């Protein structure tokens, strides 16, 4: 089987592919290198190769690669920064500073659409990237996502604390909150929706009236109602990883 990894600053998303590159019924999210090794070893499968994207430091990424190669006797292929890939031209002044997860997501979106596109990744952080019809990346934005917004409020405001179960229940309505949990959760959700609305307006200015919207990330469901025509692709980064690190 083929092991694919999306290594964030705090979490690692992993999944296994069959030899024919179809998705195997295995995958998950872990919080450390050790948890990853345990999870994959627990599958009792034979790994052929690994490919990964990492936004961690070079040292941290190298340490993970060594652990994987020693534990499973496989070769790891790591996505690298690039000026151009699959018809997309990196729009950063210092191309190597663009986060690899963002880069792979926008490359994947352009490959899937072959058209101008707005790529919205709604995770711990929220990112927006604009790609013109000719493949030129026009840049993007980064701001706190729902997890960061609520974490900052709950951490730095003494009276803004509530249980996770309250948070889930609070998002069942858009009415003004009548408890701290409702006020925070609905307020953060409205900020997220406002950000997305602003990106749509800017995309119309930069890309013209004809462009595709791609949604990915754990909080994509927060904005799908306002973007009925958006393409929701949970594994958009993995699609880009396959482009950056082809194995055949």
């Amino acid at each position: 089987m083929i092991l694919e990894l999306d290594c964030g600053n705090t979490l690692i998303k992993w999944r296994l592919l069959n030899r024919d590159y179809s998705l195997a019924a295995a995958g998950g999210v872990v919080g450390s290198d050790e948890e990853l090794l345990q999870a994959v070893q627990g599958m009792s499968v034979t790994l052929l190769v690994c490919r990964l994207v990492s936004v961690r430091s070079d040292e941290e990424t190298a340490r993970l690669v060594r652990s994987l190669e020693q534990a499973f006797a496989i070769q790891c292929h790591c996505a690298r920064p690039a000026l151009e890939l699959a018809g997309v031209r990196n729009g950063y002044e210092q191309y190597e500073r663009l986060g690899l997860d963002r880069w792979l997501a926008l490359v994947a979106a352009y490959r899937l659409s072959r058209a101008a596109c707005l790529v919205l990744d709604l995770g711990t952080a929220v990112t927006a990237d604009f790609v013109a019809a000719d493949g030129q990346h026009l840049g993007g934005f980064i701001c706190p996502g729902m997890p960061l917004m609520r974490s900052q409020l709950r951490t730095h405001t003494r009276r803004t604390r509530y249980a996770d179960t309250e948070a889930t229940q609070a998002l069942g309505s858009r009415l003004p909150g009548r408890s701290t949990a409702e006020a925070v959760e609905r307020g953060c959700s409205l900020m997220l929706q406002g950000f997305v609305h602003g990106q749509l307006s800017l995309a119309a200015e930069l890309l013209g009236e004809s462009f595709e919207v791609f949604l990915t990330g754990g909080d994509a469901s927060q904005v799908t109602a306002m973007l009925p025509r958006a393409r929701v692709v949970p594994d958009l980064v993995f699609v880009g990883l396959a482009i950056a690190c082809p194995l055949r």
Side-chain angles (χ1 to χ4, degrees), residues 181-197:
E182 290 179 353
V184 170
E185 292 298 319
R186 294 174 192 177
C188 291
S189 180
L190 286 173
M191 288 191 70
L192 181 63
Q193 292 169 24
F195 174 82
V196 170
H197 186 270

Side-chain angles (χ1 to χ4, degrees), residues 89-238:
R89 296 181 298 282
N90 194 311
Y92 260 32
E93 294 177 356
Q94 296 177 286
Y95 75 91
E96 66 278 3
R97 298 297 299 274
L98 175 62
L100 274 172
D101 51 351
R102 285 174 61 196
W103 172 238
L104 295 188
L106 66 92
V107 166
Y110 187 73
R111 168 67 68 85
L112 292 172
S113 66
R114 289 299 181 187
C117 51
L118 166 63
V119 184
L120 298 168
D121 188 340
L122 310 182
T124 302
V126 170
T127 63
D129 282 285
F130 303 80
V131 184
D134 64 355
Q136 179 63 53
H137 174 224
L138 304 179
F141 298 97
I142 306 172
C143 70
M146 290 280 289
L148 280 178
M149 287 192 285
R150 68 164 65 96
S151 174
Q152 288 298 302
L153 285 170
R154 292 166 72 174
T155 301
H156 296 286
T157 308
R158 291 183 180 179
R159 293 184 180 274
T160 310
R161 297 180 182 176
Y162 49 89
D164 291 339
T165 53
E166 292 181 86
T168 302
Q169 295 170 354
L171 289 172
S173 170
R174 294 186 61 185
L175 293 174
R178 300 184 65 183
S179 69
T180 299
E182 290 179 353
V184 170
E185 292 298 319
R186 294 174 192 177
C188 291
S189 180
L190 286 173
M191 288 191 70
L192 181 63
Q193 292 169 24
F195 174 82
V196 170
H197 186 270
Q199 301 312 297
L200 291 173
S201 298
L202 184 55
E205 295 178 22
L206 296 175
L207 306 175
E209 292 301 322
S210 179
F211 61 90
E212 290 203 44
V213 180
F214 285 82
L215 286 177
T216 192
D219 283 319
S221 60
Q222 296 286 334
V223 300
T224 50
M226 60 186 292
L227 298 170
R229 297 184 180 179
R231 297 176 66 172
V232 181
V233 187
D235 292 324
L236 194 60
V237 172
F238 282 136

Side-chain angles (χ1 to χ4, degrees), residues 15-32:
R15 69 178 189 177
L16 294 174
L17 299 181
N18 292 310
R19 291 188 181 208
D20 61 358
Y21 296 88
S22 63
L23 183 61
V29 179
V30 294
S32 68

